Amino acid sequence: MLDTPDVLRRTGGKPVKSIVFSEATIAAKVAELGAAITAAYPDGELLVLGLLKGSFIFLSDLVRTIERPVQVDFLVASSYGSEKVSSGTVRLLYDPETRLKGKHILLVEDIIDTGRTLRRLMALLGERQPRSLAICALLDKRIAADPPAELRFVGFDAPPAFLVGYGLDHAENYRHLPFIADLE
Ligand code: IMP
Ligand code: MG
């Protein structure tokens, strides 16, 4: 159990179980991903698309490690009526204003769990005729039976725990923690 004053001030007095990835560990990994992304796109326009809300901190750190021109936009997706309808509909609540046609699209996601939402999103974005379509995820739980083919850049394998911090939430809390913790 982790209940240092530094943690408790941020959580309102609730301890977390443990820190899974520290600030320094995350920063080193983000720099590695940025270098890999820089190398992977030698030419063409690159649009980094952050999937809100979970990716907001990761994306803001990541784009600062990419040493080539980039554009940044966001999208907000909702698995519309997913409990009632098994049709696999994904609805965009916020659709990027930037044109996708002819650009390299790099979708940035916080964590891949089943990968279901992402697979549907890929189909939807693919219709906009991008030059290429790839996913960068900070964390992958590696439980997806059929992970999206576009998953090209992965930071860490995540343990089978409920993680919070660095953008990841539990009921909208804990996103602001500078590290990634197991909430338990
Ligand atoms: P998927 O569609 O099943 O891959 O779900 C991925 C989404 O579930 C992520 O974008 C997160 O918002 C959320 N999620 C999955 N695992 C965790 C976790 O451990 N902590 C916080 N959110 C999670
Ligand atoms: Mg979430």
mmCIF file of all heavy atoms in Angstrom, residues 26-27 30-31 34 48-66 70-74 108-110 136 138 166-167 175:
data_model
loop_
_atom_site.group_PDB
_atom_site.id
_atom_site.type_symbol
_atom_site.label_atom_id
_atom_site.label_comp_id
_atom_site.label_asym_id
_atom_site.label_seq_id
_atom_site.Cartn_x
_atom_site.Cartn_y
_atom_site.Cartn_z
ATOM 1 N N ILE A 26 7.973 6.402 -17.300
ATOM 2 C CA ILE A 26 7.059 6.824 -18.366
ATOM 3 C C ILE A 26 7.777 7.776 -19.321
ATOM 4 O O ILE A 26 7.697 7.626 -20.543
ATOM 5 C CB ILE A 26 5.803 7.510 -17.778
ATOM 6 C CG1 ILE A 26 4.975 6.517 -16.954
ATOM 7 C CG2 ILE A 26 4.937 8.100 -18.905
ATOM 8 C CD1 ILE A 26 3.865 7.163 -16.123
ATOM 9 N N ALA A 27 8.508 8.735 -18.760
ATOM 10 C CA ALA A 27 9.183 9.730 -19.610
ATOM 11 C C ALA A 27 10.177 9.061 -20.560
ATOM 12 O O ALA A 27 10.270 9.421 -21.737
ATOM 13 C CB ALA A 27 9.886 10.769 -18.741
ATOM 14 N N VAL A 30 8.176 7.295 -23.286
ATOM 15 C CA VAL A 30 7.572 8.245 -24.223
ATOM 16 C C VAL A 30 8.637 8.750 -25.207
ATOM 17 O O VAL A 30 8.395 8.858 -26.413
ATOM 18 C CB VAL A 30 6.896 9.411 -23.467
ATOM 19 C CG1 VAL A 30 6.485 10.523 -24.422
ATOM 20 C CG2 VAL A 30 5.676 8.897 -22.701
ATOM 21 N N ALA A 31 9.836 9.003 -24.717
ATOM 22 C CA ALA A 31 10.926 9.454 -25.595
ATOM 23 C C ALA A 31 11.267 8.381 -26.626
ATOM 24 O O ALA A 31 11.517 8.683 -27.801
ATOM 25 C CB ALA A 31 12.156 9.801 -24.760
ATOM 26 N N GLY A 34 8.553 8.369 -29.216
ATOM 27 C CA GLY A 34 8.694 9.541 -30.073
ATOM 28 C C GLY A 34 9.775 9.332 -31.116
ATOM 29 O O GLY A 34 9.606 9.689 -32.294
ATOM 30 N N VAL A 48 -1.519 13.588 -35.689
ATOM 31 C CA VAL A 48 -1.638 12.816 -34.453
ATOM 32 C C VAL A 48 -3.023 13.081 -33.882
ATOM 33 O O VAL A 48 -3.383 14.226 -33.604
ATOM 34 C CB VAL A 48 -0.537 13.234 -33.456
ATOM 35 C CG1 VAL A 48 -0.698 12.480 -32.149
ATOM 36 C CG2 VAL A 48 0.850 12.972 -34.044
ATOM 37 N N LEU A 49 -3.783 12.009 -33.743
ATOM 38 C CA LEU A 49 -5.170 12.128 -33.300
ATOM 39 C C LEU A 49 -5.320 11.518 -31.917
ATOM 40 O O LEU A 49 -5.176 10.310 -31.745
ATOM 41 C CB LEU A 49 -6.066 11.328 -34.249
ATOM 42 C CG LEU A 49 -6.808 12.005 -35.385
ATOM 43 C CD1 LEU A 49 -7.748 10.995 -36.037
ATOM 44 C CD2 LEU A 49 -7.583 13.212 -34.889
ATOM 45 N N GLY A 50 -5.608 12.325 -30.941
ATOM 46 C CA GLY A 50 -5.757 11.831 -29.574
ATOM 47 C C GLY A 50 -7.184 11.408 -29.296
ATOM 48 O O GLY A 50 -8.123 12.151 -29.566
ATOM 49 N N LEU A 51 -7.335 10.215 -28.768
ATOM 50 C CA LEU A 51 -8.655 9.719 -28.393
ATOM 51 C C LEU A 51 -8.935 10.184 -26.960
ATOM 52 O O LEU A 51 -8.259 9.768 -26.010
ATOM 53 C CB LEU A 51 -8.658 8.189 -28.494
ATOM 54 C CG LEU A 51 -9.974 7.450 -28.360
ATOM 55 C CD1 LEU A 51 -11.044 8.023 -29.283
ATOM 56 C CD2 LEU A 51 -9.772 5.976 -28.687
ATOM 57 N N LEU A 52 -9.892 11.085 -26.843
ATOM 58 C CA LEU A 52 -10.193 11.670 -25.527
ATOM 59 C C LEU A 52 -11.098 10.761 -24.715
ATOM 60 O O LEU A 52 -11.854 10.009 -25.284
ATOM 61 C CB LEU A 52 -10.884 13.027 -25.718
ATOM 62 C CG LEU A 52 -9.972 14.131 -26.275
ATOM 63 C CD1 LEU A 52 -10.773 15.405 -26.504
ATOM 64 C CD2 LEU A 52 -8.797 14.396 -25.338
ATOM 65 N N LYS A 53 -11.031 10.833 -23.382
ATOM 66 C CA LYS A 53 -10.170 11.784 -22.701
ATOM 67 C C LYS A 53 -8.836 11.188 -22.289
ATOM 68 O O LYS A 53 -7.873 11.894 -21.992
ATOM 69 C CB LYS A 53 -10.869 12.273 -21.418
ATOM 70 C CG LYS A 53 -12.111 13.061 -21.632
ATOM 71 C CD LYS A 53 -12.704 13.453 -20.268
ATOM 72 C CE LYS A 53 -14.149 13.115 -20.246
ATOM 73 N NZ LYS A 53 -14.759 13.319 -18.919
ATOM 74 N N GLY A 54 -8.794 9.858 -22.212
ATOM 75 C CA GLY A 54 -7.670 9.174 -21.569
ATOM 76 C C GLY A 54 -6.287 9.496 -22.110
ATOM 77 O O GLY A 54 -5.303 9.385 -21.389
ATOM 78 N N SER A 55 -6.203 9.931 -23.376
ATOM 79 C CA SER A 55 -4.883 10.102 -23.984
ATOM 80 C C SER A 55 -4.298 11.496 -23.782
ATOM 81 O O SER A 55 -3.204 11.777 -24.258
ATOM 82 C CB SER A 55 -4.967 9.823 -25.489
ATOM 83 O OG SER A 55 -5.613 10.896 -26.148
ATOM 84 N N PHE A 56 -5.002 12.377 -23.065
ATOM 85 C CA PHE A 56 -4.595 13.796 -23.148
ATOM 86 C C PHE A 56 -3.209 14.083 -22.584
ATOM 87 O O PHE A 56 -2.481 14.915 -23.123
ATOM 88 C CB PHE A 56 -5.661 14.731 -22.548
ATOM 89 C CG PHE A 56 -5.640 14.881 -21.045
ATOM 90 C CD1 PHE A 56 -5.229 16.077 -20.469
ATOM 91 C CD2 PHE A 56 -6.054 13.859 -20.218
ATOM 92 C CE1 PHE A 56 -5.227 16.244 -19.083
ATOM 93 C CE2 PHE A 56 -6.051 14.006 -18.827
ATOM 94 C CZ PHE A 56 -5.637 15.197 -18.271
ATOM 95 N N ILE A 57 -2.822 13.411 -21.530
ATOM 96 C CA ILE A 57 -1.492 13.682 -20.958
ATOM 97 C C ILE A 57 -0.412 12.989 -21.794
ATOM 98 O O ILE A 57 0.603 13.590 -22.143
ATOM 99 C CB ILE A 57 -1.426 13.228 -19.486
ATOM 100 C CG1 ILE A 57 -2.363 14.113 -18.649
ATOM 101 C CG2 ILE A 57 0.008 13.304 -18.958
ATOM 102 C CD1 ILE A 57 -2.401 13.767 -17.176
ATOM 103 N N PHE A 58 -0.662 11.730 -22.143
ATOM 104 C CA PHE A 58 0.270 10.970 -22.972
ATOM 105 C C PHE A 58 0.518 11.704 -24.285
ATOM 106 O O PHE A 58 1.664 11.901 -24.705
ATOM 107 C CB PHE A 58 -0.303 9.568 -23.198
ATOM 108 C CG PHE A 58 0.482 8.701 -24.143
ATOM 109 C CD1 PHE A 58 1.865 8.665 -24.104
ATOM 110 C CD2 PHE A 58 -0.180 7.888 -25.056
ATOM 111 C CE1 PHE A 58 2.578 7.849 -24.987
ATOM 112 C CE2 PHE A 58 0.513 7.076 -25.924
ATOM 113 C CZ PHE A 58 1.898 7.062 -25.893
ATOM 114 N N LEU A 59 -0.541 12.136 -24.928
ATOM 115 C CA LEU A 59 -0.401 12.811 -26.213
ATOM 116 C C LEU A 59 0.417 14.087 -26.077
ATOM 117 O O LEU A 59 1.278 14.381 -26.907
ATOM 118 C CB LEU A 59 -1.773 13.116 -26.811
ATOM 119 C CG LEU A 59 -1.713 13.880 -28.132
ATOM 120 C CD1 LEU A 59 -2.588 13.226 -29.177
ATOM 121 C CD2 LEU A 59 -2.093 15.321 -27.959
ATOM 122 N N SER A 60 0.163 14.842 -25.021
ATOM 123 C CA SER A 60 0.865 16.128 -24.905
ATOM 124 C C SER A 60 2.352 15.910 -24.669
ATOM 125 O O SER A 60 3.178 16.674 -25.158
ATOM 126 C CB SER A 60 0.233 17.010 -23.827
ATOM 127 O OG SER A 60 0.474 16.468 -22.556
ATOM 128 N N ASP A 61 2.710 14.867 -23.938
ATOM 129 C CA ASP A 61 4.137 14.554 -23.772
ATOM 130 C C ASP A 61 4.714 13.966 -25.057
ATOM 131 O O ASP A 61 5.821 14.309 -25.468
ATOM 132 C CB ASP A 61 4.331 13.550 -22.628
ATOM 133 C CG ASP A 61 4.217 14.215 -21.261
ATOM 134 O OD1 ASP A 61 4.318 15.463 -21.192
ATOM 135 O OD2 ASP A 61 4.041 13.490 -20.263
ATOM 136 N N LEU A 62 3.945 13.071 -25.697
ATOM 137 C CA LEU A 62 4.445 12.366 -26.882
ATOM 138 C C LEU A 62 4.779 13.316 -28.033
ATOM 139 O O LEU A 62 5.844 13.207 -28.635
ATOM 140 C CB LEU A 62 3.413 11.326 -27.342
ATOM 141 C CG LEU A 62 3.799 10.488 -28.554
ATOM 142 C CD1 LEU A 62 4.952 9.540 -28.215
ATOM 143 C CD2 LEU A 62 2.601 9.687 -29.081
ATOM 144 N N VAL A 63 3.877 14.249 -28.332
ATOM 145 C CA VAL A 63 4.115 15.098 -29.512
ATOM 146 C C VAL A 63 5.374 15.951 -29.328
ATOM 147 O O VAL A 63 6.023 16.316 -30.307
ATOM 148 C CB VAL A 63 2.905 16.001 -29.885
ATOM 149 C CG1 VAL A 63 1.765 15.156 -30.409
ATOM 150 C CG2 VAL A 63 2.473 16.876 -28.733
ATOM 151 N N ARG A 64 5.743 16.227 -28.080
ATOM 152 C CA ARG A 64 6.948 17.032 -27.853
ATOM 153 C C ARG A 64 8.230 16.239 -28.048
ATOM 154 O O ARG A 64 9.320 16.786 -28.028
ATOM 155 C CB ARG A 64 6.901 17.664 -26.460
ATOM 156 C CG ARG A 64 5.957 18.856 -26.432
ATOM 157 C CD ARG A 64 5.834 19.453 -25.058
ATOM 158 N NE ARG A 64 4.947 18.664 -24.214
ATOM 159 C CZ ARG A 64 4.637 18.986 -22.969
ATOM 160 N NH1 ARG A 64 5.175 20.060 -22.413
ATOM 161 N NH2 ARG A 64 3.803 18.234 -22.281
ATOM 162 N N THR A 65 8.101 14.916 -28.231
ATOM 163 C CA THR A 65 9.293 14.097 -28.508
ATOM 164 C C THR A 65 9.393 13.712 -29.983
ATOM 165 O O THR A 65 10.319 13.001 -30.372
ATOM 166 C CB THR A 65 9.282 12.798 -27.666
ATOM 167 O OG1 THR A 65 8.219 11.962 -28.117
ATOM 168 C CG2 THR A 65 9.106 13.089 -26.184
ATOM 169 N N ILE A 66 8.426 14.149 -30.787
ATOM 170 C CA ILE A 66 8.436 13.816 -32.214
ATOM 171 C C ILE A 66 9.160 14.930 -32.967
ATOM 172 O O ILE A 66 8.729 16.087 -32.932
ATOM 173 C CB ILE A 66 7.000 13.633 -32.756
ATOM 174 C CG1 ILE A 66 6.305 12.479 -32.022
ATOM 175 C CG2 ILE A 66 7.029 13.357 -34.263
ATOM 176 C CD1 ILE A 66 4.840 12.290 -32.398
ATOM 177 N N VAL A 70 4.203 17.941 -37.227
ATOM 178 C CA VAL A 70 2.970 17.188 -36.952
ATOM 179 C C VAL A 70 1.809 18.160 -36.807
ATOM 180 O O VAL A 70 1.992 19.324 -36.464
ATOM 181 C CB VAL A 70 3.016 16.339 -35.650
ATOM 182 C CG1 VAL A 70 4.055 15.256 -35.707
ATOM 183 C CG2 VAL A 70 3.184 17.201 -34.423
ATOM 184 N N GLN A 71 0.636 17.646 -37.074
ATOM 185 C CA GLN A 71 -0.586 18.346 -36.709
ATOM 186 C C GLN A 71 -1.243 17.538 -35.598
ATOM 187 O O GLN A 71 -1.035 16.326 -35.509
ATOM 188 C CB GLN A 71 -1.535 18.442 -37.900
ATOM 189 C CG GLN A 71 -0.962 19.280 -39.038
ATOM 190 C CD GLN A 71 -1.921 19.373 -40.210
ATOM 191 O OE1 GLN A 71 -2.760 18.503 -40.418
ATOM 192 N NE2 GLN A 71 -1.766 20.428 -40.994
ATOM 193 N N VAL A 72 -2.002 18.203 -34.744
ATOM 194 C CA VAL A 72 -2.655 17.529 -33.623
ATOM 195 C C VAL A 72 -4.152 17.818 -33.662
ATOM 196 O O VAL A 72 -4.570 18.949 -33.876
ATOM 197 C CB VAL A 72 -2.086 18.029 -32.272
ATOM 198 C CG1 VAL A 72 -2.822 17.372 -31.111
ATOM 199 C CG2 VAL A 72 -0.598 17.746 -32.171
ATOM 200 N N ASP A 73 -4.933 16.768 -33.510
ATOM 201 C CA ASP A 73 -6.373 16.944 -33.335
ATOM 202 C C ASP A 73 -6.852 15.843 -32.395
ATOM 203 O O ASP A 73 -6.055 14.996 -31.970
ATOM 204 C CB ASP A 73 -7.101 16.894 -34.687
ATOM 205 C CG ASP A 73 -8.399 17.713 -34.666
ATOM 206 O OD1 ASP A 73 -8.980 17.890 -33.582
ATOM 207 O OD2 ASP A 73 -8.819 18.162 -35.745
ATOM 208 N N PHE A 74 -8.109 15.884 -32.080
ATOM 209 C CA PHE A 74 -8.651 14.930 -31.118
ATOM 210 C C PHE A 74 -9.909 14.305 -31.667
ATOM 211 O O PHE A 74 -10.535 14.853 -32.575
ATOM 212 C CB PHE A 74 -8.986 15.643 -29.804
ATOM 213 C CG PHE A 74 -7.772 16.185 -29.119
ATOM 214 C CD1 PHE A 74 -7.360 17.490 -29.340
ATOM 215 C CD2 PHE A 74 -7.023 15.378 -28.281
ATOM 216 C CE1 PHE A 74 -6.222 17.984 -28.730
ATOM 217 C CE2 PHE A 74 -5.884 15.864 -27.661
ATOM 218 C CZ PHE A 74 -5.488 17.167 -27.887
ATOM 219 N N VAL A 108 -3.764 8.049 -31.077
ATOM 220 C CA VAL A 108 -3.110 7.854 -29.791
ATOM 221 C C VAL A 108 -4.145 7.481 -28.733
ATOM 222 O O VAL A 108 -5.133 8.189 -28.532
ATOM 223 C CB VAL A 108 -2.340 9.122 -29.368
ATOM 224 C CG1 VAL A 108 -1.737 8.955 -27.987
ATOM 225 C CG2 VAL A 108 -1.241 9.420 -30.386
ATOM 226 N N GLU A 109 -3.888 6.342 -28.089
ATOM 227 C CA GLU A 109 -4.836 5.792 -27.102
ATOM 228 C C GLU A 109 -4.078 5.534 -25.802
ATOM 229 O O GLU A 109 -2.875 5.241 -25.818
ATOM 230 C CB GLU A 109 -5.414 4.496 -27.699
ATOM 231 C CG GLU A 109 -6.201 3.598 -26.782
ATOM 232 C CD GLU A 109 -7.530 4.166 -26.317
ATOM 233 O OE1 GLU A 109 -7.558 5.338 -25.911
ATOM 234 O OE2 GLU A 109 -8.520 3.421 -26.328
ATOM 235 N N ASP A 110 -4.766 5.661 -24.682
ATOM 236 C CA ASP A 110 -4.101 5.426 -23.396
ATOM 237 C C ASP A 110 -3.820 3.942 -23.162
ATOM 238 O O ASP A 110 -2.698 3.538 -22.917
ATOM 239 C CB ASP A 110 -4.917 6.022 -22.231
ATOM 240 C CG ASP A 110 -6.386 5.560 -22.221
ATOM 241 O OD1 ASP A 110 -6.822 4.803 -23.117
ATOM 242 O OD2 ASP A 110 -7.113 5.976 -21.293
ATOM 243 N N CYS A 136 -0.925 4.255 -31.737
ATOM 244 C CA CYS A 136 0.093 4.265 -30.695
ATOM 245 C C CYS A 136 -0.625 4.215 -29.355
ATOM 246 O O CYS A 136 -1.422 5.093 -29.039
ATOM 247 C CB CYS A 136 0.932 5.541 -30.787
ATOM 248 S SG CYS A 136 2.106 5.717 -29.433
ATOM 249 N N LEU A 138 -0.110 3.725 -25.124
ATOM 250 C CA LEU A 138 0.879 3.708 -24.044
ATOM 251 C C LEU A 138 0.911 2.342 -23.359
ATOM 252 O O LEU A 138 1.968 1.837 -23.015
ATOM 253 C CB LEU A 138 0.560 4.799 -23.014
ATOM 254 C CG LEU A 138 1.529 4.865 -21.831
ATOM 255 C CD1 LEU A 138 2.935 5.217 -22.284
ATOM 256 C CD2 LEU A 138 1.033 5.839 -20.786
ATOM 257 N N TYR A 166 -1.825 9.447 -15.071
ATOM 258 C CA TYR A 166 -1.261 9.805 -16.373
ATOM 259 C C TYR A 166 -2.356 9.751 -17.448
ATOM 260 O O TYR A 166 -2.148 9.242 -18.533
ATOM 261 C CB TYR A 166 -0.089 8.876 -16.708
ATOM 262 C CG TYR A 166 0.849 9.444 -17.765
ATOM 263 C CD1 TYR A 166 1.693 10.512 -17.477
ATOM 264 C CD2 TYR A 166 0.897 8.905 -19.037
ATOM 265 C CE1 TYR A 166 2.541 11.042 -18.439
ATOM 266 C CE2 TYR A 166 1.749 9.426 -20.013
ATOM 267 C CZ TYR A 166 2.564 10.485 -19.708
ATOM 268 O OH TYR A 166 3.403 10.994 -20.677
ATOM 269 N N GLY A 167 -3.534 10.242 -17.106
ATOM 270 C CA GLY A 167 -4.658 10.278 -18.038
ATOM 271 C C GLY A 167 -5.724 9.239 -17.776
ATOM 272 O O GLY A 167 -6.895 9.444 -18.103
ATOM 273 N N ARG A 175 -6.935 11.135 -12.978
ATOM 274 C CA ARG A 175 -6.257 11.351 -14.258
ATOM 275 C C ARG A 175 -4.977 12.174 -14.099
ATOM 276 O O ARG A 175 -4.057 12.065 -14.902
ATOM 277 C CB ARG A 175 -7.177 12.094 -15.248
ATOM 278 C CG ARG A 175 -8.353 11.291 -15.756
ATOM 279 C CD ARG A 175 -8.974 12.019 -16.963
ATOM 280 N NE ARG A 175 -10.341 11.584 -17.236
ATOM 281 C CZ ARG A 175 -10.661 10.549 -18.006
ATOM 282 N NH1 ARG A 175 -9.720 9.819 -18.554
ATOM 283 N NH2 ARG A 175 -11.924 10.232 -18.220
#
